[in-house]
Amino acid sequence: MMAFICCAEGEPAIKTDEATDIRWTKIDDIENIIEDCPETIFPMDILPLKKYIRYSSNYRTEH
C-alpha cells in the first residue's frame, strides 16, 4: 500500500486516472468504513489502515 497521510487544507486533485471518488477523509470515518463496508476498500489496504488507526489512536491518547 502506498499512502500519504497528512494534515492538509484545500481540495484534492480529482482529474487523475489513478483512483476514483478521491476525497479527504477523517480517520474516524475510515475506521467506520472498514468496520461497516470493508468491501469498498482494496483488500491489501485494510490491514495497513487498521495498523495506522491503532497507532493514531495511541498517539491521540498520549498527547
Side-chain angles (χ1 to χ4, degrees):
M1 174 180 160
M2 294 186 78
F4 182 76
I5 300 172
C6 68
C7 294
E9 295 181 8
E11 296 297 318
I14 57 175
K15 300 256 181 195
T16 70
D17 59 354
E18 295 177 9
T20 59
D21 196 19
I22 300 169
R23 66 192 181 280
W24 297 118
T25 306
K26 294 180 181 179
I27 195 69
D28 294 336
D29 294 339
I30 293 173
E31 186 173 17
N32 291 335
I33 292 168
I34 290 171
E35 290 178 19
D36 298 340
C37 47
E39 69 279 358
T40 63
I41 299 175
F42 185 64
M44 291 181 70
D45 291 345
I46 292 175
L47 288 177
L49 285 169
K50 285 182 176 181
K51 184 174 182 176
Y52 178 76
I53 289 166
R54 280 194 309 274
Y55 167 80
S56 68
S57 176
N58 290 337
Y59 180 82
R60 287 181 284 179
T61 304
E62 294 172 2
H63 295 92

